[in-house]
């Protein structure tokens, strides 16, 4: 059980920078292009891009105040602008280990979309994630975020402490849809089975 006095100020008062995509006192995870093998649709474009460098694609800085069932974790994500072929820079995407866990995303900066995929039915939707918008990700739903603009995309994600991250399913088969730039706008394109 969390005690108010036992928590440090970073757990009680989040100070985030929407421009820099940082959260004071948070644990930071970085994903570079080389960390995203198998994620992008165009494997040739991916391999070519890897020969040209290993840029930072996204970072997440997360605060984990406690681990009790009722606790919340939250983090700030920052996705750089970029493309692999016609596909936008994006997160690996995941399900929650505790499948019932929902998550709320709040756009802070830039122009993004989220891809939501129902685990059981495969039903997929693409929703905008921009400043002034919140996206509710229900339980049992795979989710991935893409930067479809020309500047960094930042957002906050809030989720139950129990949620956990399950990357396994998408490491094997990826999401059913890719989000590609089609005449300057993001479109959901069905991958080959
Ligand atoms: Fe999540």
């Amino acid at each position: 059980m969390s005690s108010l006095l036992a928590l440090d100020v970073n757990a009680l008062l989040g100070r985030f920078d929407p421009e820099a995509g940082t959260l004071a006192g948070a644990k930071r995870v970085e994903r570079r292009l080389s960390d995203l093998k198998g994620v992008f649709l165009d494997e040739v474009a991916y391999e070519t891009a890897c020969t040209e460098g290993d840029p930072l694609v996204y970072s997440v800085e997360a605060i984990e105040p406690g681990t009790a069932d009722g606790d919340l974790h939250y983090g700030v994500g920052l996705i750089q602008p970029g493309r692999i072929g016609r596909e936008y820079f994006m997160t690996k995407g995941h399900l929650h280990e505790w499948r019932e866990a929902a998550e709320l995303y709040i756009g802070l900066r830039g122009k993004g979309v989220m891809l939501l995929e129902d685990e059981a039915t495969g039903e997929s939707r693409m929703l905008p994630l921009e400043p002034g918008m919140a996206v509710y990700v229900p339980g049992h739903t795979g989710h991935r975020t893409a930067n479809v603009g020309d500047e960094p995309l930042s957002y906050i994600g809030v989720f139950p402490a129990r949620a956990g991250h399950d990357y396994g399913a998408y490491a094997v088969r990826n999401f059913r849809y890719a989000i590609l730039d089609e005449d300057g706008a993001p479109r959901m394109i069905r991958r080959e089975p």
Side-chain angles (χ1 to χ4, degrees), residues 94 96 103 105 143:
H94 61 268
H96 293 144
E103 182 163 3
Y105 279 74
H143 43 292

